[in-house]
Amino acid sequence: MNLREIKERTGRKFTGTYHSIRTKLLTCFLIVTLIPLFSLGGLSYIQSARVINSQFGKYGDNAVAQLEQQTSSSLNRMKQTAETIYSYLLDPSHSGIGNETPSTYSDIMEKNDFETLLKSLRTQLTAGIYIITTSGYYYGENNLDVNKLSNIQTWKTRPKAYAGTYWLGFYPQNHAIKSSDSDKVPVLGLAVPIHHPDKAQDGSVILIEENAEELLRSYAKFEADTHAHLLIKSPDGTVVYETNAPYTPHNSDVTWTRTLDVNQWTMEARIPAKAFYQSSGVIRANTMLVAVVSCLLAFGIAYLFSSRFTSRIRTLKDSMQKVSFGKLDTRTPIEGSDELGSLDMSFNRMVMGVQTLIGEVEQSERLKKEAELRAFHYQINPHLLFNTLNSIQWKARLQGAEDIRQMLYHLTMVLEGNLDISQELITLNRELRMIGHFLKIQEIRYGKVFHYRLDCDEHLQSYLIPRMTLQPLFENIFFHAFTDGEGEIEVTVKEDQDELVLTLRDNGAGMNEDKLSQLFSQKVKRKGRGGLGVVNADQKFKLHFGPLYGLTVHSVKGEGTLITIRWPKREEANDDEHREH
């Protein structure tokens, strides 16, 4: 039965069912989407509005408290200054300070001392400190026009018999002898009448003024940030400060109130309820807008894509997901002859093809790796055999059979290790033993003209290393680096966390930079055996442990060569288990 016959037989069975699935899915999608949307949107709005209103209320209350603290700080400084001056004037020893211009030397000295005190009481914010007598004469800086004090409304209306402190409020400082509009800085004033019939200063007034620019800027910043109306009143109802904008109070206004302990001024900040709840209104409007847009979007998406989300598509999606996890034996059932049925059939064919292809690739890679490893193992150095045989013949002529026996023994051990291809990975201990036999051969050949030192902890010798990787490196040392076998060889094996690091150092002929740069190149044609052992050893480490591991070579002509090998720790039991898997 071909594909066309399957489509003709199964197509009639499932005709007409697709539209009902789309309608059901559209309805369910809208219900599932809109109910959580409106629920979460309403809950989010309520919680957000509550938090915003609470935070804004706390911000306003804290801001008014900060304004109260700033204002009280200025008033306290001015009051303390006035009390200090008042105490000084009441001291009987300062009788030279009178209501008239000083005429005697002692009066002038007393005046100078007093004005020195006034200067010492000044701060960076002090705008003026004066003692104005009943005659019109004053003490303080020589920049005051007493007649212009009447420009200050609160100064002009202050009670003559007032006792204690009289706060003049805010006003421009325009009572200098010579002043311009730019000199009229806003100040906060305090007048303290002196009532002491026994003193010459009786009837005089202490006038203290402090620069109020910074304080008024704080008021203006608060008004701009909160859109509130700020009003400061004295206990008698006099308006000390009011926001420069028309405002009609309402019972629904949100109000923050503070009373200053220094002079009982009342600080009141009002904000209309509409402005106070403006942030929550914005959240409500945005929530409604998002809800409407989400409804339209949900409906559009559901309408456009509901026809595609059927149970068969979900089945196909699940099958694809299983394949993505590596389950290549997954197959999806063919339930129809429409486009989805064709897709199911194509999917099954594709998975079968991928499964077959992966199997072929794995087999090919396994065979390739085995072939490469065998090729490396079979590249046995005939130079070793020829030189060893020549050495045996040479020793046979000059000495007895004992040296020949020793040489044959060590040669047999070396060849046994090289020709045994049953194990690709052997212990480091076994590889070092073969190196020991190789060095014995060289010692018989050359004599005790070279020195060999091994630094390797015993517990590291149980880890695995690719077979026959160190011997070619030692061969290169004797055949290319040493002259008549004379030199020093040092092997060090250390552990670096989960890796082993072996360094092979010699003090032989070394290599120049050109030869060193071509050492690992596969394209360079080498005459004889130079560098072949290094390339083979490096490839073995990369094939067994990955491209991140292998050899690095550092050499200086005439100074020797340093070879560093890095590979991961792996014990013999773990390797057997790895091969079984």
Side-chain angles (χ1 to χ4, degrees):
M1 183 181 298
N2 56 27
L3 179 61
R4 180 173 297 177
E5 293 175 347
I6 296 176
K7 292 174 64 177
E8 290 176 354
R9 291 187 179 183
T10 57
R12 292 189 295 270
K13 184 185 299 184
F14 294 96
T15 301
T17 61
Y18 190 72
H19 296 287
S20 61
I21 294 177
R22 184 178 67 177
T23 303
K24 294 177 181 178
L25 187 58
L26 174 62
T27 304
C28 294
F29 186 84
L30 291 177
I31 293 175
V32 171
T33 302
L34 297 182
I35 291 179
L37 176 64
F38 283 111
S39 301
L40 293 177
L43 181 61
S44 175
Y45 163 70
I46 293 173
Q47 295 293 337
S48 300
R50 183 180 301 170
V51 172
I52 290 295
N53 294 335
S54 175
Q55 293 295 327
F56 187 64
K58 291 179 180 179
Y59 168 76
D61 190 61
N62 292 334
V64 173
Q66 186 175 4
L67 294 181
E68 175 203 1
Q69 183 180 4
Q70 290 178 301
T71 307
S72 297
S73 179
S74 297
L75 298 179
N76 278 320
R77 283 195 302 270
M78 297 170 65
K79 185 177 180 181
Q80 291 174 1
T81 302
E83 290 174 350
T84 302
I85 297 173
Y86 205 106
S87 299
Y88 183 90
L89 294 175
L90 294 181
D91 191 341
S93 62
H94 301 143
S95 58
I97 301 176
N99 293 334
E100 302 296 337
T101 304
S103 57
T104 66
Y105 176 77
S106 61
D107 291 344
I108 293 175
M109 294 301 296
E110 185 72 31
K111 169 184 176 296
N112 292 338
D113 291 342
F114 181 54
E115 290 188 342
T116 301
L117 171 66
L118 298 182
K119 290 180 181 179
S120 68
L121 295 175
R122 294 180 62 88
T123 64
Q124 291 182 348
L125 295 176
T126 301
I129 301 177
Y130 310 97
I131 289 80
I132 304 168
T133 66
T134 56
S135 64
Y137 179 76
Y138 70 92
Y139 295 89
E141 297 182 8
N142 298 324
N143 63 344
L144 176 63
D145 188 346
V146 178
N147 295 325
K148 291 183 179 180
L149 290 175
S150 59
N151 295 334
I152 305 173
Q153 183 64 28
T154 50
W155 175 272
K156 183 171 59 175
T157 59
R158 77 186 191 283
K160 298 299 181 182
Y162 187 82
T165 56
Y166 184 78
W167 296 94
L168 302 177
F170 298 96
Y171 54 88
Q173 191 184 43
N174 57 359
H175 39 268
I177 295 176
K178 293 181 179 181
S179 61
S180 60
D181 292 338
S182 61
D183 296 331
K184 298 177 182 179
V185 296
V187 295
L188 179 60
L190 169 63
V192 181
I194 301 175
H195 297 288
H196 200 292
D198 297 334
K199 300 291 288 185
Q201 302 90 0
D202 184 47
S204 300
V205 179
I206 301 173
L207 175 61
I208 300 175
E209 296 176 329
E210 184 168 305
N211 191 316
E213 286 182 314
E214 185 64 29
L215 192 58
L216 293 177
R217 274 197 294 268
S218 299
Y219 294 167
K221 187 176 184 303
F222 169 76
E223 294 164 351
D225 291 344
T226 62
H227 302 286
H229 182 269
L230 184 61
L231 176 65
I232 302 177
K233 286 185 178 182
S234 62
D236 61 359
T238 303
V239 175
V240 179
Y241 174 86
E242 186 175 10
T243 301
N244 187 20
Y247 185 80
T248 303
H250 297 88
N251 294 331
S252 61
D253 292 346
V254 178
T255 306
W256 300 296
T257 305
R258 288 287 188 279
T259 299
L260 279 64
D261 296 332
V262 181
N263 55 6
Q264 299 303 308
W265 280 359
T266 302
M267 181 179 292
E268 179 185 82
R270 283 180 170 271
I271 180 172
K274 182 178 180 180
F276 182 82
Y277 296 108
Q278 182 178 4
S279 298
S280 58
V282 171
I283 296 176
R284 181 176 62 253
N286 289 338
T287 303
M288 294 180 63
L289 178 61
V290 170
V292 172
V293 173
S294 300
C295 290
L296 297 177
L297 185 62
F299 182 81
I301 294 176
Y303 181 79
L304 291 175
F305 295 99
S306 60
S307 59
R308 303 179 184 180
F309 289 90
T310 63
S311 59
R312 292 162 59 192
I313 289 184
R314 286 195 296 271
T315 303
L316 181 60
K317 182 202 68 155
D318 294 337
S319 301
M320 291 180 177
Q321 191 172 12
K322 291 179 181 179
V323 172
S324 67
F325 291 154
K327 298 181 179 180
L328 298 180
D329 56 345
T330 302
R331 299 293 183 270
T332 181
I334 302 174
E335 301 177 355
S337 60
D338 54 6
E339 293 81 2
L340 292 177
S342 299
L343 185 60
D344 292 336
M345 295 176 63
S346 300
F347 172 77
N348 291 338
R349 287 197 299 267
M350 179 193 69
V351 174
M352 292 176 60
V354 170
Q355 190 175 18
T356 303
L357 180 61
I358 290 178
E360 294 174 354
V361 171
E362 289 178 348
Q363 179 67 15
S364 175
E365 289 295 325
R366 184 166 56 254
L367 294 176
K368 179 181 177 182
K369 182 176 180 180
E370 292 175 358
E372 289 178 347
L373 290 174
R374 289 195 182 95
F376 288 133
H377 291 321
Y378 291 150
Q379 290 183 4
I380 300 175
N381 186 0
H383 199 73
L384 169 64
L385 298 177
F386 295 149
N387 282 291
T388 303
L389 292 176
N390 290 333
S391 298
I392 294 173
Q393 293 175 3
W394 176 70
K395 283 292 180 180
R397 289 194 302 267
L398 299 181
Q399 298 181 5
E402 179 61 22
D403 288 340
I404 296 176
R405 187 189 68 80
Q406 290 289 335
M407 210 170 203
L408 287 174
Y409 168 73
H410 294 297
L411 176 61
T412 302
M413 297 303 295
V414 173
L415 292 178
E416 180 181 356
N418 289 340
L419 298 176
D420 181 13
I421 62 174
S422 61
Q423 287 182 286
E424 300 294 343
L425 297 176
I426 63 175
T427 63
L428 183 58
N429 185 6
R430 181 176 172 184
E431 184 75 4
L432 293 175
R433 284 205 312 270
M434 283 192 291
I435 293 300
H437 290 297
F438 172 80
L439 292 176
K440 284 293 184 180
I441 296 174
Q442 303 306 320
E443 182 179 340
I444 296 173
R445 176 185 179 186
Y446 295 109
K448 296 183 179 181
V449 296
F450 63 88
H451 300 279
Y452 170 66
R453 190 174 73 87
L454 173 64
D455 181 9
C456 179
D457 293 341
E458 184 175 354
H459 74 279
L460 300 180
Q461 297 185 15
S462 62
Y463 292 109
L464 297 178
I465 186 173
R467 184 179 62 83
M468 196 182 168
T469 51
L470 297 183
Q471 180 187 320
L473 305 180
F474 277 80
E475 291 181 31
N476 286 340
I477 292 176
F478 282 95
F479 299 150
H480 302 289
F482 288 173
T483 301
D484 295 330
E486 184 176 355
E488 295 182 358
I489 304 174
E490 179 182 353
V491 175
T492 303
V493 182
K494 300 294 182 182
E495 56 182 335
D496 184 7
Q497 295 182 357
D498 294 333
E499 297 177 348
L500 294 177
V501 181
L502 184 146
T503 57
L504 172 61
R505 185 192 306 272
D506 70 77
N507 62 345
M511 293 177 283
N512 55 34
E513 294 184 0
D514 293 338
K515 187 174 181 180
L516 186 63
S517 62
Q518 298 176 0
L519 192 61
F520 292 95
S521 176
Q522 300 286 348
K523 299 179 180 180
V524 177
K525 293 183 179 179
R526 295 178 174 83
K527 295 180 179 180
R529 287 179 36 82
L532 184 59
V534 175
V535 175
N536 287 351
D538 183 65
Q539 290 297 320
K540 283 186 179 182
F541 280 98
K542 286 180 168 53
L543 286 171
H544 282 290
F545 303 114
L548 298 179
Y549 302 99
L551 279 67
T552 57
V553 182
H554 176 73
S555 183
V556 177
K557 186 68 175 180
E559 296 183 8
T561 302
L562 173 65
I563 299 177
T564 302
I565 309 176
R566 180 180 292 271
W567 75 99
K569 292 180 181 178
R570 185 183 296 176
E571 293 185 313
E572 191 168 7
N574 294 337
D575 185 67
D576 294 340
E577 183 180 352
H578 176 73
R579 287 198 300 271
E580 290 175 3
H581 285 293

